[in-house]
Amino acid sequence: AQKITQTQPGMFVQEKEAVTLDCTYDTSDPSYGLFWYKQPSSGEMIFLIYQGSYDQQNATEGRYSLNFQKARKSANLVISASQLGDSAMYFCAMRELGNTDKLIFGTGTRLQVFP
Amino acid sequence: DTAVSQTPKYLVTQMGNDKSIKCEQNLGHDTMYWYKQDSKKFLKIMFSYNNKELIINETVPNRFSPKSPDKAHLNLHINSLELGDSAVYFCASSHTSSDSANEQYFGPGTRLTVT
């Protein structure tokens, strides 16, 4: 059974600093995708970044990068130069290649950025 | 030019009532989903439809019945509402492909409160 684990219920970071949000996963499928979503207090789910299991390089999207360590089954999100607007819940999710297309989500990490 | 829209945004109702939540996407996607986010922020897939065909039904009670009149719409009807149905319900959509990279786009969510 596939599983996503986010061990940090809450994280604090000072503005302009970098922060790493942890995510580990468990799957027996060799083909899968890993996603990070942001959920601000307004409630919407915002897609941030994607990493495929066969991707050779770590994904980057602006200030977001994914530290993908396949052997350790971890896909940590790194946010550089934190901004106050980064305060939100962050969810790691996984999709196995196949026809179900469903995302399995972790329990989330609440990030608070302080001035 | 909203991508995935849901109505209503808030829904307060009494136990035993029947209610519906509507979802529409204008992204040209062929797969749509319903997720439930509980009070602890945990997100779990409920259903997915591909081209109006039910693909995933994650052991959701029979009181929940999705309906997809066309591939741009996926509605959720809930009969005999119970207190435990209180949650935020998210609709999402994506392309279907063999590539695990296709991210899901989420609607703004519908906060259902059963009293």
Side-chain angles (χ1 to χ4, degrees):
Chain A
Q2 53 178 295
K3 187 178 175 182
I4 294 282
T5 303
Q6 294 181 255
T7 57
Q8 306 155 314
M11 289 285 285
F12 288 89
V13 66
Q14 191 165 29
E15 206 175 1
K16 300 179 185 176
E17 297 294 312
V19 63
T20 298
L21 306 184
D22 294 342
C23 174
T24 58
Y25 58 93
D26 186 23
T27 180
S28 56
D29 195 318
S31 299
Y32 51 89
L34 296 156
F35 302 78
W36 278 91
Y37 283 84
K38 172 184 178 181
Q39 187 177 39
S41 58
S42 50
E44 69 270 31
M45 295 287 290
I46 303 167
F47 166 73
L48 294 178
I49 195 166
Y50 162 82
Q51 180 83 45
S53 59
Y54 294 121
D55 292 345
Q56 295 296 312
Q57 296 195 339
N58 287 342
T60 60
E61 287 286 348
R63 293 186 300 110
Y64 304 109
S65 60
L66 210 151
N67 183 0
F68 181 47
Q69 298 188 42
K70 193 170 181 177
R72 298 178 65 180
K73 292 189 175 179
S74 74
N76 299 338
L77 177 70
V78 180
I79 305 175
S80 62
S82 297
Q83 302 172 356
L84 295 177
D86 293 335
S87 295
M89 282 287 288
Y90 288 82
F91 292 95
C92 180
M94 179 171 67
R95 173 186 174 233
E96 289 179 343
L97 192 65
N99 62 2
T100 63
D101 284 332
K102 68 180 180 183
L103 290 176
I104 305 295
F105 283 88
T107 50
T109 296
R110 182 173 296 282
L111 175 66
Q112 295 191 58
V113 182
F114 60 94
Chain B
D1 53 344
T2 305
V4 183
S5 60
Q6 293 178 230
T7 53
K9 189 166 173 59
Y10 300 96
L11 187 53
V12 181
T13 188
Q14 291 184 325
M15 283 175 56
N17 285 347
D18 303 338
K19 290 293 178 186
S20 292
I21 306 172
K22 295 186 176 181
C23 177
E24 177 181 1
Q25 56 95 4
N26 61 5
L27 297 166
H29 291 161
D30 48 13
T31 303
M32 296 183 72
Y33 315 79
W34 279 110
Y35 288 86
K36 179 180 179 180
Q37 185 174 42
D38 63 23
S39 59
K40 296 183 179 179
K41 297 290 188 181
F42 185 62
L43 270 155
K44 188 170 163 51
I45 183 79
M46 299 174 69
F47 301 101
S48 82
Y49 269 74
N50 177 259
N51 282 321
K52 304 193 296 175
E53 181 183 346
L54 180 65
I55 301 298
I56 298 172
N57 181 341
E58 287 282 312
T59 60
V60 177
N62 291 339
R63 300 181 295 103
F64 290 80
S65 53
K67 282 191 171 54
S68 182
D70 56 62
K71 69 177 190 178
H73 296 83
L74 180 62
N75 304 324
L76 183 65
H77 188 75
I78 315 170
N79 289 327
S80 304
L81 278 154
E82 300 177 357
L83 292 177
D85 297 333
S86 295
V88 180
Y89 292 84
F90 284 97
C91 177
S93 72
S94 71
H95 283 298
T96 302
S97 79
S98 58
D99 183 351
S100 61
N102 45 316
E103 67 265 28
Q104 295 181 13
Y105 292 82
F106 283 75
T110 295
R111 182 175 295 277
L112 172 64
T113 303
V114 183
T115 61

